[in-house]
Amino acid sequence: MSEIEKIKNQFFSKLEEAKDLEKLNQIKSELFGKNGIISNQFKVLATKSDEDKKTFASELNTLKNDLQIIISKKVEKIKIEEINKKLENEKIDVTLPERSFRIGKIHPVSQVIDEISSIFSEIGFSVEEGPDVENEYNNFTALNTPKHHPARDMHDTFYLDEDKKTLLRTHTSPVQIRTMLKGKPPFKIIAPGRTYRSDSDQTHSPMFHQLEGLHIDQDISMGHLKGCLNYFIKEFFEIDKIKMRFRPSHFPFTEPSAEVDIGYEIKNDQIVIGEGNKWLEILGCGMVHPNVLKNVRVDHKKFQGYAFGIGIDRLAMLKYGINDLRAFFECDYRWLNHYGFDPLDVPTNYRGLSK
Ligand code: DAH
């Protein structure tokens, strides 16, 4: 077998077996590199006699061309194979269903706090906050609540120490004290927040929400209190007319004190606020007791005013037709999904009330 034929046989099968570009490049340099087999054969050509040169040169050139064609075809084939493999592996199945995602909902209590805050801010109230863990002084003593008052009882209040000095605030009224101690009159604030009492049934939860209001200035009377609450209730329930009554009551921190009821009736199984002969209690209020003003070093001869405390959860239940208070705090996503508010689409219209 001639040298040319040997090379041909050896490399044709080598090329046949080559599976990747790296191997092909290696074969290529074995053949055509500086000291490659074909390059060397061209050196051999120079040593041939004139007679042999012609046939050898023609065989060698044919072999060279054949090998080059095979190599470039093979390169092309391998490249296409690689692209196909890549496409196969990186395939995106556009028919797959998207992964589901949930949009969070605004809790009705947060929604109602926002609504109430914006209603009061329109008539000049600013928002104050106080801590959930309060001291006995701010929660009771400064609010003129005597030592024997039943609210101080262990059965009612969550104390955090044996001396009964620290507690979970039982109402938002201590924010009145904090606000007046740190500033100078006039004061016109609301304070929404969590409050705690040892109580639990369908209408009571050990943690609930209140909103405190306080307006202290010169010449503030019960007339201002009435006007303010009348405006608030109409705005909150989005109605033009409201039936409201002040019932005498007692709170240690106000004198006189009153509870406010609003008129309602049931129509087609729904509560309609503002009409009818039934009464619903919604808040406590009164003129701030001079002792409270003395405790916070406000001149009670010069300044006076009113305060009120609203149960936020109750208002949320009324406005949005929610029956069980405990569901507010059970963190059931299905409940929140039903009663919660879309953060991007908060309704401004009154939705009607159910029993
Ligand atoms: N703190 C009272 C309560 O929790 C509610 C209240 C009544 C607040 C009268 C007031 C008020 O500011 O003037 O029952």
Side-chain angles (χ1 to χ4, degrees):
M1 200 191 290
S2 74
E3 192 58 26
I4 301 279
E5 255 164 27
K6 265 197 219 157
I7 298 170
K8 196 174 165 179
N9 290 343
Q10 184 190 351
F11 278 88
F12 275 20
S13 56
K14 249 190 176 182
L15 282 169
E16 193 62 35
E17 282 160 22
K19 290 272 178 293
D20 54 45
L21 291 176
E22 201 184 326
K23 187 78 195 159
L24 271 179
N25 281 334
Q26 190 194 325
I27 297 172
K28 217 167 147 182
S29 61
E30 267 178 56
L31 288 166
F32 305 109
K34 219 170 167 205
N35 278 317
I37 291 165
I38 298 291
S39 318
N40 283 338
Q41 288 305 314
F42 277 100
K43 286 175 202 156
V44 173
L45 177 67
T47 65
K48 296 277 181 192
S49 64
D50 284 351
E51 207 179 304
D52 292 342
K53 234 181 207 163
K54 224 176 156 191
T55 25
F56 192 78
S58 126
E59 280 178 16
L60 189 57
N61 273 323
T62 313
L63 175 65
K64 186 185 153 197
N65 286 341
D66 287 354
L67 284 169
Q68 276 173 340
I69 289 168
I70 293 175
I71 290 174
S72 61
K73 276 192 177 160
K74 192 91 196 189
V75 167
E76 207 52 34
K77 195 174 161 223
I78 290 177
K79 275 188 179 166
I80 287 173
E81 275 171 10
E82 277 181 0
I83 289 172
N84 284 341
K85 214 188 223 167
K86 243 182 162 177
L87 283 175
E88 188 63 32
N89 290 341
E90 292 170 11
K91 195 163 72 178
I92 298 168
D93 184 352
V94 290
T95 65
L96 272 179
E98 62 179 313
R99 233 176 259 159
S100 69
F101 65 95
R102 285 171 168 177
I103 297 176
K105 291 277 182 133
I106 294 177
H107 194 284
V109 171
S110 308
Q111 166 70 16
V112 163
I113 290 177
D114 282 355
E115 287 176 22
I116 299 179
S117 303
S118 85
I119 292 168
F120 278 108
S121 77
E122 274 175 34
I123 50 169
F125 284 82
S126 57
V127 177
E128 285 288 334
E129 280 184 333
D132 292 12
V133 174
E134 204 26 294
N135 58 52
E136 170 279 325
Y137 181 78
N138 288 344
N139 196 81
F140 293 129
T141 307
L143 286 162
N144 199 37
T145 307
K147 280 269 181 273
H148 59 267
H149 195 280
R152 288 182 178 253
D153 202 278
M154 287 279 268
H155 295 297
D156 217 25
T157 300
F158 292 115
Y159 288 98
L160 300 176
D161 57 8
E162 292 204 341
D163 297 344
K164 294 183 164 183
K165 289 270 179 256
T166 324
L167 44 82
L168 292 177
R169 65 177 177 188
T170 58
H171 49 180
T172 42
S173 304
V175 187
Q176 290 187 28
I177 303 301
R178 287 179 174 271
T179 306
M180 291 194 281
L181 279 176
K182 74 175 185 203
K184 289 211 172 333
F187 302 104
K188 199 172 181 187
I189 60 114
I190 50 164
R194 283 182 291 270
T195 46
Y196 305 84
R197 278 178 216 173
S198 183
D199 222 349
S200 182
D201 59 39
Q202 196 179 343
T203 51
H204 295 94
S205 141
M207 191 280 297
F208 55 103
H209 296 84
Q210 280 193 343
L211 183 125
E212 195 73 14
L214 174 73
H215 184 189
I216 302 287
D217 205 337
Q218 294 178 2
D219 302 323
I220 296 289
S221 71
M222 268 199 100
H224 294 102
L225 170 62
K226 267 182 116 169
C228 167
L229 293 177
N230 195 282
Y231 155 81
F232 162 68
I233 294 163
K234 283 198 294 204
E235 288 292 312
F236 182 73
F237 288 109
E238 297 175 44
I239 42 180
D240 297 328
K241 271 212 327 248
I242 183 86
K243 273 176 82 178
M244 188 171 89
R245 74 177 180 195
F246 282 63
R247 221 171 354 93
S249 184
H250 171 77
F251 299 103
F253 34 88
T254 43
E255 183 57 41
S257 304
E259 272 164 323
V260 172
D261 301 336
I262 50 173
Y264 76 97
E265 67 179 347
I266 310 270
K267 257 192 196 162
N268 305 327
D269 263 4
Q270 300 253 307
I271 293 184
V272 181
I273 301 283
E275 296 169 28
N277 298 322
K278 295 188 164 75
W279 295 100
L280 199 74
E281 180 196 319
I282 58 156
L283 60 91
C285 61
M287 298 305 288
V288 177
H289 198 293
N291 286 349
V292 174
L293 296 175
K294 277 183 214 161
N295 289 337
V296 293
R297 295 183 292 279
V298 167
D299 182 351
H300 67 281
K301 299 239 169 68
K302 198 166 161 201
F303 293 97
Q304 65 285 126
Y306 59 84
F308 53 86
I310 306 175
I312 295 176
D313 313 290
R314 182 105 193 258
L315 284 194
M317 288 169 80
L318 272 177
K319 182 162 177 177
Y320 294 114
I322 304 166
N323 293 325
D324 190 344
L325 175 69
R326 286 170 299 193
F328 273 81
F329 312 120
E330 274 170 2
C331 303
D332 183 335
Y333 188 79
R334 290 162 304 177
W335 182 88
L336 188 57
N337 211 23
H338 181 77
Y339 286 107
F341 294 85
D342 188 334
L344 303 174
D345 180 28
V346 174
T348 51
N349 287 337
Y350 179 46
R351 283 197 191 163
L353 304 161
S354 63
K355 225 182 343 177

